[in-house]
Structures are given as C-alpha cells and as structure tokens.
Amino acid sequence: MHPRKTILLSFCLALITTPHIRAQQTFWTDWRMGPPSTTMADSSYGSPNPAAPRKQITIDPYFKLGWEDAAVAGFHVASSCLISGFGAVSNHKNFGIACLGGAGAGTLLYAGSKLGTFAGYYAGVGYGAKGITSLGASIRDNLAQGIGPFSRFQYDLAFLRLSIGDAKSNDGMTVNYYVLPAPIISSAYAWGSGARWDTETSLKLGTPVYRGDVGAIEQNSNNKEAIAFSMPTIIVNENYTGEERDVLGHEFIHTLNYREMSWIDAVFENHVYGDRFSEYHLKLGGEIGAAAMAPFLLLEHNSRPQEMLPEALQLRPQGSK
C-alpha cells in the first residue's frame, strides 16, 4: 500500500473510532444493574468518604479536547513518529515516510487510550480500545522494523499476543502467538496474595481482573490508600465500596500502556537479541519497560511518571477538577 494511503487511513480510522457522545449519561447507570454506590472515588485515588451523602452525579462522556488530551495526543504522535522513523533508518528505509506513518499510528494510540477510559462503563468497549491501540502499535512497530505498515497485526488476549500477517514478517507463520510473561507473573502473584478472579469484570473489560488487598500489594510504596493496581493484570481492592468505573478505566489505560511498549521488542529484535526470543514465542518489550519504571512505584501515586497519561485521560464527574 502506498505510504500516503497508509497515513490517511490511519488518521481516518482514529477519527471514525472516537465516539462523539453529546448526551449526558447517568453516572450510576451500570451494565450489571447493581445498586448504586453511596460514595465515589476522586481522581487522586484517595479513600472514599463513608459519610458522603448519596446523590446522583452526571458525567458528560463527550471526548472534549482539553489541553490534557492535546498533550497526550502530541506525545503519542511525536514518539511514534521518532520510533518508526529511526527504526526505518536502521533498516535502510526512508525516515520521513516512516515518521509520517508513525505519526498516524500515534493518533490511533491516543484514540485507543481515550476510548479505554470508558471501559469501566460499557461492556465491550475495552475490546475496541485494545483493537485500536493494537493497530496503532502494530503499524508503528512494523515501520520501525522496515516492513510494510500492515504486514502484521498483533493483539493481546490475556496471557498471549496473537499475531496475524504474512509469513515472512510473522516469524514464518501466517498466524502466530507469543507468550507474555508479565500477565502470567502478575496473575500468579494475585492468586498467591489471596485475590479472587472476577470473571464478570474480566469479560467486561477484556483483560484479567482480580479482587484482593491492594494495600498489601503496594505496601512498599508511600500510597497507603490504594483502590486498584495494574501490573498489567488489574487488581481492585475488595474492600472498596465506592464508585469504581472511572477507576477501572484508569487501570485499563495502564494495560494499554503495556501493549504500547512493544516498540522495545522492535528495537531489540533489530539490534540486540535478534529473533532469539521470538523463536521461543516470547515477547519481552512490556516487561523491559515495566522493569525500567518499577523504581517509581516507591513514589506517591500522583508523582509517578507512569501515572501521567491515565490521570490526564480518565473521566471525571462534572464539577470536579
């Protein structure tokens, strides 16, 4: 496909898949039809106030383009442009064309993350958000490895990364798979910590979700009032009784961030370990990125660099700051 068509198609997909919902939705309307909560979490992730009166709060889910959205979109566009461009140069391809294609891919990454903020509100939205994010990441990584932008599409499903593409670009197979160690390790940790599998919420979001003692999981950090944690499996505090749908959206964006770190695989496969791990059906980009960010877990929640994107994008009730 011609590069200009690739770029145009990427931007069009991003625009089409970004819902523009003007009508206000009732904040307490839930797909599970459960009783409304008496408290609600704020964006600072502090403990809910048990004494707060019950009241109906509305939220406007229209994707308003505030400065936070502009910053996140700009980050994705710029970083994807550079990743694709420099990767292409290392494979003797044109920097400018790959950079423009990467910019289109970055637009998709932003659209996927923004849509992911609704994952806690509407069943099935998480699957779409993962699909858009996966398309953007696949285009960016393909260009960085010097192959066609649509030569390969990779989608994370639980503990596996499914890969569909031409055999030459897909490690010799039209349909391939790679094991993701981080979801397996984090799920094992959840089970070992006594957390229980939440089938309903897992199916709703399209990613593994557990209920457990999040405070114990973050006991080595300064955040003593954690509501949820993602690594990249989501673990929600089983003792939390407040409104959690915005919390789920926040944590879901973290799982998308894990998918976005596949660019590390593209770089390492080009210059460091080649196809060594791919031959064993392993992908370690997300794990390398998570390990690099792990020291920041010792900081307060809102001071961690990895919280900047979810905090900027997550939904907030009307009237909140």
Side-chain angles (χ1 to χ4, degrees):
M1 182 176 291
H2 194 279
R4 290 193 180 92
K5 293 182 180 179
T6 298
I7 297 165
L8 179 61
L9 179 59
S10 297
F11 278 106
C12 288
L13 283 171
L15 293 174
I16 292 171
T17 52
T18 304
H20 294 273
I21 308 171
R22 268 296 188 187
Q24 291 193 352
Q25 306 291 330
T26 302
F27 194 78
W28 298 130
T29 302
D30 197 346
W31 78 296
R32 288 180 286 188
M33 303 300 290
S37 304
T38 56
T39 58
M40 190 188 72
D42 61 21
S43 61
S44 66
Y45 271 45
S47 295
N49 178 14
R54 180 192 298 267
K55 60 180 179 179
Q56 189 180 56
I57 303 176
T58 58
I59 192 167
D60 181 2
Y62 179 69
F63 286 2
K64 295 178 180 177
L65 298 178
W67 70 266
E68 298 97 338
D69 290 273
V72 173
F75 168 79
H76 279 305
V77 169
S79 61
S80 296
C81 171
L82 295 177
I83 290 170
S84 295
F86 284 115
V89 169
S90 69
N91 286 283
H92 311 291
K93 303 291 184 179
N94 184 276
F95 175 87
I97 293 177
C99 183
L100 287 175
T107 306
L108 290 171
L109 292 176
Y110 161 73
S113 294
K114 189 63 178 180
L115 183 61
T117 62
F118 290 89
Y121 287 83
Y122 307 107
V125 168
Y127 295 90
K130 288 174 64 175
I132 297 170
T133 299
S134 296
L135 179 59
S138 296
I139 293 173
R140 177 200 63 193
D141 299 346
N142 290 341
L143 291 170
Q145 291 187 293
I147 60 178
F150 299 106
S151 297
R152 179 179 57 195
F153 173 75
Q154 298 183 330
Y155 185 93
D156 288 5
L157 187 62
F159 311 121
L160 297 176
R161 178 164 297 162
L162 303 180
S163 185
I164 302 173
D166 61 78
K168 183 178 179 181
S169 304
N170 208 32
D171 295 318
M173 301 174 65
T174 303
V175 179
N176 211 335
Y177 70 93
Y178 303 95
V179 176
L180 303 174
I184 296 175
I185 294 172
S186 57
S187 291
Y189 184 88
W191 288 328
S193 301
R196 62 178 179 83
W197 169 266
D198 187 338
T199 303
E200 188 175 27
T201 308
S202 296
L203 292 175
K204 177 183 178 181
L205 268 64
T207 197
V209 179
Y210 296 85
R211 303 274 173 177
D213 188 348
V214 181
I217 293 172
E218 293 210 79
Q219 62 185 350
N220 293 324
S221 75
N222 296 321
N223 181 15
K224 300 300 183 183
E225 298 179 333
I227 294 173
F229 192 70
S230 176
M231 52 180 188
T233 298
I234 298 175
I235 306 178
V236 182
N237 196 325
E238 61 183 352
N239 298 318
Y240 178 64
T241 58
E243 173 59 50
E244 69 175 25
R245 287 174 291 181
D246 58 334
V247 175
L248 289 174
H250 177 107
E251 298 302 331
F252 185 79
I253 294 176
H254 280 303
T255 69
L256 298 180
N257 295 156
Y258 171 80
R259 173 64 183 91
E260 293 169 13
M261 287 190 287
S262 60
W263 66 268
I264 300 176
D265 286 309
V267 172
F268 274 56
E269 289 177 6
N270 275 352
H271 305 291
V272 182
Y273 51 65
D275 292 329
R276 191 177 311 156
F277 289 103
S278 294
E279 292 174 359
Y280 294 99
H281 295 276
L282 284 173
K283 289 293 183 182
L284 301 177
E287 286 68 26
I288 295 172
M293 301 296 286
F296 295 109
L297 293 176
L298 298 174
L299 301 177
E300 292 285 350
H301 181 273
N302 290 346
S303 299
R304 302 170 185 170
Q306 55 264 53
E307 298 297 334
M308 294 177 66
L309 294 183
E311 285 289 340
L313 293 176
Q314 74 179 60
L315 301 177
R316 291 176 174 82
Q318 289 185 352
S320 66
K321 298 180 180 180

